[in-house]
Amino acid sequence: GQQVMQIPQYQHVQEGEDFTTYCNSSTTLSNIQWYKQRPGGHPVFLIQLVKSGEVKKQKRLTFQFGEAKKNSSLHITATQTTDVGTYFCAGKWSGGFKTIFGAGTRLFVKA
Amino acid sequence: EAGVAQSPRYKIIEKRQSVAFWCNPISGHATLYWYQQILGQGPKLLIQFQNNGVVDDSQLPKDRFSAERLKGVDSTLKIQPAKLEDSAVYLCASSPNLLAGGPNEQFFGPGTRLTVL
């Protein structure tokens, strides 16, 4: 069935180090969204990627969508303690309306 | 702009009891979602409405879960009877219009944390 696999499950970094989380689908996606959920909070939308090979930046965050539209990544440069939380990708496939969330990558940042 | 409202924020019940959750989406949003989020997992879509019609309910355990959005605005999700494995956070989200194209970002409410004893 349709699903998105997300790795790693957890990542511990020292403040100032970089962080990357990866999202993969076995079938071609229509689009992919990224959300951040702070501990005890609810998911908050970060970005949506639609085009093959698309790269978008938001300050220290860089989002990429693979050429085949089957994988995506989120890279944070020079992490800060405010980046702590769980990052989810959410994929959507052609011909359907459902968005399926990955299991998330939980980021821990040590000051 | 007011966000997605949900109530109650917390609920503790015993197994086999029933429970209902309420969601009021952002004004004008046509699409409404109910998710179940078990601790340490990603949100799992239970049901998705476009106005007052169901778009997807393929993962809704229909023998015990039901949801409605009668006037195409607010929505209720009910569990009857509850099981221990229903303990989770139930998140409601809304987005402008699934069929209109564009980012269709989902705005989430604070969630209802359900504990089934």
Side-chain angles (χ1 to χ4, degrees):
Chain A
Q2 294 166 335
Q3 60 178 347
V4 284
M5 304 301 293
Q6 205 173 340
I7 57 170
Q9 188 175 5
Y10 302 96
Q11 184 81 57
H12 292 256
V13 300
Q14 197 75 29
E15 189 173 26
E17 292 182 337
D18 292 356
F19 160 77
T20 305
T21 173
Y22 301 90
C23 189
N24 292 286
S25 167
S26 59
T27 53
T28 303
L29 294 159
S30 171
N31 64 60
I32 194 157
Q33 296 178 340
W34 285 92
Y35 291 80
K36 177 184 179 181
Q37 186 172 26
R38 286 198 162 95
H42 56 273
V44 175
F45 176 83
L46 295 175
I47 210 158
Q48 175 169 297
L49 304 172
V50 179
K51 299 177 183 176
S52 169
E54 191 170 13
V55 178
K56 288 188 176 180
K57 293 190 176 183
Q58 291 179 351
K59 297 182 180 178
R60 295 179 295 105
L61 276 61
T62 302
F63 303 85
Q64 293 189 340
F65 203 8
E67 294 289 340
K69 298 182 69 173
K70 290 183 178 181
N71 56 73
S72 181
S73 65
L74 158 59
H75 179 83
I76 302 178
T77 303
T79 54
Q80 300 174 358
T81 54
T82 53
D83 296 325
V84 163
T86 302
Y87 293 84
F88 293 100
C89 62
K92 186 170 178 291
W93 290 261
S94 299
F97 298 110
K98 186 163 59 179
T99 299
I100 295 179
F101 280 75
T105 296
R106 186 162 184 184
L107 174 63
F108 299 86
V109 180
K110 186 176 181 181
Chain B
E1 179 181 81
V4 176
Q6 287 189 248
S7 67
R9 292 295 309 278
Y10 305 91
K11 189 74 178 178
I12 300 174
I13 61 173
E14 295 188 348
K15 60 184 178 183
R16 291 189 289 274
Q17 286 187 325
S18 61
V19 64
F21 313 126
W22 175 81
C23 172
N24 192 21
I26 292 173
S27 177
H29 279 194
T31 312
L32 185 147
Y33 314 77
W34 282 104
Y35 289 91
Q36 179 192 58
Q37 187 174 27
I38 293 172
L39 187 65
Q41 299 182 17
K44 172 187 168 185
L45 181 68
L46 294 176
I47 189 167
Q48 182 173 334
F49 293 94
Q50 177 73 6
N51 297 309
N52 61 350
V54 175
V55 172
D56 190 287
D57 63 356
S58 57
Q59 298 189 101
L60 186 73
K62 297 181 185 63
D63 57 334
R64 299 185 300 107
F65 286 65
S66 64
E68 59 183 17
R69 194 186 184 198
L70 293 176
K71 297 182 180 178
V73 181
D74 57 352
S75 176
T76 56
L77 175 70
K78 296 179 182 178
I79 308 175
Q80 182 180 11
K83 293 185 176 181
L84 296 177
E85 59 261 36
D86 298 332
S87 293
V89 175
Y90 290 84
L91 294 163
C92 178
S94 69
S95 58
N97 191 332
L98 182 66
L99 303 178
N104 207 45
E105 114 184 46
Q106 295 184 38
F107 296 83
F108 283 81
T112 297
R113 183 176 297 277
L114 174 67
T115 302
V116 182
L117 302 175

